[in-house]
Amino acid sequence: MSLVGKKFPNITVDAISFMGENLKINILEEATKNKKKVVLFWYPKDFTFVCPTELHAFQAAIQEFEKRNTMVIGASCDTNEVHFAWLNTPKNNGGIEGVKYPILADTTRNLSSTLGILDIEVGEYNDETDTYLIEGSNVTYRATYLIDEDGKIFHESVNDMPLGRNVNEYIRLIDAYTHVQTVGEVCPANWQKGQEAMNADRNSTAEYLSHN
C-alpha cells in the first residue's frame, strides 16, 4: 500500500554520523522540527557493489539538496559499527569515506518492516519450533522517500537491488513539489525548474500541449 500523502511513520531509529557519533533519528521529527524536506534512501547492505556508488552520488549532490532546504539521510539494516567501518574505508577500496550525512541503522527492522520494503517472505511452518521459516535476505530494497516540512510523504519509489538510482530525479521532484507549494501550479511531464507549468484545469492543459 502506498504511503504517498500520509505522514511518515513516527519511529525512532539508531543512526551514526560520519564522525562516529551514535544518534537517534526520527524522520518525522527531523522534518517537522527543522522545517526541512527530507530525502531518505534505503540500500541493501554496506560493503557491497552498487550501494557505494549511490551513497557517493547523494554526497556529490549534497549542496543541491541543501539549496532546496532538504536533508539527506541514508539507511540500511546494518549496525552502526559496520556503518562506521564503511565510512572509514577509502572510496578506491569500495568504501564511503567522504560521505557526510547520517545513516540509519535499522537493525530491529522496525521502520523498514513498517514501510514494507524488506526482501522477506514467510516460508513453511515448522511444527517442532512452532514457527514459520523466513525466506529472503531480510534486507531492504532500494527504497526512496521524499518527505515535506509537515512530515508528509510526497514521493516513494522502490528499485530492485541491482538497479541504482538517478539522484538528479529526486532533485527534480523536490523542485516540482516546491513549485506546487509556492506557486500553486501543477508540473507536467519532464518538467524542470524554470520551465512553464500549468493550472489544474483542462484549458491550461490544452494550451500547454499546443505549445510543446
Side-chain angles (χ1 to χ4, degrees):
M1 182 180 296
S2 174
L3 296 177
V4 170
K6 299 180 175 66
K7 292 280 189 178
F8 195 84
N10 185 14
I11 296 174
T12 300
V13 182
D14 287 339
I16 194 167
S17 73
F18 74 97
M19 296 293 290
E21 179 185 5
N22 290 320
L23 309 170
K24 298 282 187 181
I25 290 181
N26 182 307
I27 298 295
L28 179 62
E29 290 180 358
E30 290 295 323
T32 56
K33 176 182 67 178
N34 296 303
K35 281 299 172 186
K36 291 179 178 287
K37 293 181 175 68
V38 177
V39 53
L40 171 66
F41 72 98
W42 295 81
Y43 60 92
K45 293 180 181 180
D46 296 3
F47 291 100
T48 51
F49 311 105
V50 176
C51 297
T53 69
E54 292 192 311
L55 275 83
H56 284 298
F58 276 102
Q59 179 61 44
I62 199 75
Q63 290 185 345
E64 293 302 318
F65 286 111
E66 289 175 349
K67 286 178 189 176
R68 292 159 173 83
N69 194 40
T70 300
M71 304 171 62
V72 175
I73 300 176
S76 82
C77 296
D78 290 286
T79 66
N80 273 349
E81 291 78 13
V82 175
H83 285 338
F84 191 55
W86 203 27
L87 283 162
N88 283 280
T89 301
K91 186 175 182 178
N92 62 9
N93 198 28
I96 57 168
E97 188 177 38
V99 165
K100 305 294 185 185
Y101 49 81
I103 304 175
L104 301 187
D106 187 30
T107 56
T108 63
R109 272 76 169 170
N110 286 337
L111 181 54
S112 50
S113 61
T114 299
L115 295 171
I117 57 174
L118 287 167
D119 176 24
I120 184 172
E121 296 179 9
V122 177
E124 296 180 357
Y125 179 74
N126 187 314
D127 291 317
E128 294 181 2
T129 61
D130 192 29
T131 57
Y132 286 92
L133 298 176
I134 299 300
E135 299 177 353
S137 60
N138 203 21
V139 298
T140 66
Y141 293 103
R142 299 187 191 282
T144 313
Y145 297 88
L146 300 183
I147 300 118
D148 72 12
E149 299 88 345
D150 294 320
K152 185 180 76 173
I153 299 169
F154 65 91
H155 168 85
E156 64 177 347
S157 60
V158 182
N159 290 9
D160 200 357
M161 293 178 189
L163 306 176
R165 281 163 280 216
N166 183 336
V167 173
N168 289 330
E169 174 61 4
Y170 303 116
I171 294 173
R172 189 192 75 83
L173 287 168
I174 291 167
D175 285 340
Y177 189 77
T178 302
H179 185 86
V180 174
Q181 287 177 306
T182 56
V183 181
E185 295 177 324
V186 296
C187 299
N190 301 321
W191 182 90
Q192 298 284 340
K193 186 176 181 179
Q195 292 181 346
E196 179 185 0
M198 307 184 305
N199 294 316
D201 60 63
R202 292 190 178 185
N203 290 336
S204 180
T205 302
E207 182 178 356
Y208 177 85
L209 290 173
S210 68
H211 293 158
N212 292 276

